[in-house]
Amino acid sequence: MNCTRKYLGIAALIIISLLAFSLGCFFIKKQDTEKTTAGAVAGGDARIINANSNGNDPTVSMNPYPASSPIHGEFNEFRNWVLNNKKLAALSDAAGPRHLLRLSGQLAVKGLPRLSTDLLEQRLSAVTKILPSLDTHMCSTFLKGGLNAMEFTVQASSVMESFSDDEAKAWFAINKAAIEAQLDGSPLIVLSTEDATRGVLKIARSMYEPESTAFISGLTSLKTANDEDACATVRTLYSKGNALPEPYRGYMARMLLTGKEGNEKF
């Protein structure tokens, strides 16, 4: 019983520490909210778009990916889907394309906890692929929820350009599914503390000592760790979590990607 309580406490600390970056979308510094970047929309977070800017601004139609990459066409299709979505237009208090794109990003974030586990697992794989491309500073900023949009676009775009046809299609299909789930009021799916603990312990038990103990220690000290140690722990958490067998992989996907709404309250 004491061991169970110990690991439940560890899981609680881990989830609290991870909430700053657990949405699987890339948060932007508050001072960047008046900037425009198509790359942030592609990342699933359109909050940096200025709702008060001119709706005819050509940057709305910009595509940050080379035409030869699979994600180029998927980005265009997703943007057109957003701009022609009647449900989004009905919910919006402004008709401009910038506002619709910003709104779509907000809804995608809110809709993630409503998605099925298989969709979250696909997003976990994509984020796991992107995360190593971030240098230590960027990784730490990602962890703390203060990414600069332009910096992120530069570093992550090279990975997203390398997405296969299926990966590119899945990235935007999940964005769409999250938006639709939020618009339709689909029920939240909440991960229990027990299942979160099972997922974390499965990762720890897949490692040899002393790496296993160091992993748990790193997770419980994320808030106070230096940038290098925090980033190493986070990368291990994503890569090992993504490699787990079922149902543990699903537990980790929901734990890491759905924030407060998708994790049991303590």
Side-chain angles (χ1 to χ4, degrees), residues 73-119:
E74 296 298 331
F75 174 86
N76 285 340
E77 193 279 333
F78 173 73
R79 182 189 57 224
N80 292 337
W81 178 84
V82 168
L83 298 181
N84 292 286
N85 190 297
K86 293 181 179 179
K87 287 185 179 180
L88 277 172
L91 186 64
S92 175
D93 57 6
R98 286 174 176 272
H99 186 84
L100 289 173
L101 289 168
R102 180 171 64 88
L103 177 61
S104 73
Q106 295 169 342
L107 295 177
V109 168
K110 293 178 181 178
L112 280 173
R114 305 175 191 275
L115 294 184
S116 62
T117 299
D118 65 310
L119 290 179

Side-chain angles (χ1 to χ4, degrees), residues 82-238:
V82 168
L83 298 181
N84 292 286
N85 190 297
K86 293 181 179 179
K87 287 185 179 180
L88 277 172
L91 186 64
S92 175
D93 57 6
R98 286 174 176 272
H99 186 84
L100 289 173
L101 289 168
R102 180 171 64 88
L103 177 61
S104 73
Q106 295 169 342
L107 295 177
V109 168
K110 293 178 181 178
L112 280 173
R114 305 175 191 275
L115 294 184
S116 62
T117 299
D118 65 310
L119 290 179
L120 291 178
E121 288 179 346
Q122 291 180 57
R123 180 50 55 92
L124 177 64
S125 291
V127 176
T128 299
K129 189 172 183 177
I130 291 171
L131 194 55
S133 70
L134 306 183
D135 61 28
T136 300
H137 165 72
M138 186 69 70
C139 173
S140 175
T141 307
F142 171 64
L143 171 64
K144 296 171 184 176
L147 274 183
N148 175 281
M150 298 308 294
E151 288 179 337
F152 168 75
T153 299
V154 169
Q155 292 206 28
S157 288
S158 62
V159 174
M160 299 180 77
E161 289 169 14
S162 72
F163 278 0
S164 67
D165 290 343
D166 289 342
E167 289 171 331
K169 188 177 295 294
W171 183 267
F172 291 108
I174 292 166
N175 287 354
K176 290 180 184 179
I179 292 168
E180 290 175 334
Q182 184 64 26
L183 286 171
D184 295 341
S186 300
L188 292 167
I189 302 173
V190 179
L191 181 71
S192 69
T193 304
E194 288 82 0
D195 284 344
T197 303
R198 291 185 182 101
V200 171
L201 292 182
K202 191 69 173 179
I203 292 176
R205 290 166 181 164
S206 72
M207 306 166 72
Y208 293 107
E209 291 292 355
E211 287 82 5
S212 178
T213 298
F215 169 69
I216 292 293
S217 176
L219 286 174
T220 57
S221 60
L222 273 177
K223 287 186 175 181
T224 58
N226 61 41
D227 288 354
E228 184 175 356
D229 290 343
C231 290
T233 299
V234 170
R235 287 169 177 148
T236 298
L237 185 68
Y238 271 83

Side-chain angles (χ1 to χ4, degrees), residues 54-85:
N54 189 330
N56 295 319
D57 192 310
T59 55
V60 171
S61 63
M62 285 176 59
N63 190 320
Y65 306 107
S68 59
S69 65
I71 202 167
H72 180 95
E74 296 298 331
F75 174 86
N76 285 340
E77 193 279 333
F78 173 73
R79 182 189 57 224
N80 292 337
W81 178 84
V82 168
L83 298 181
N84 292 286
N85 190 297

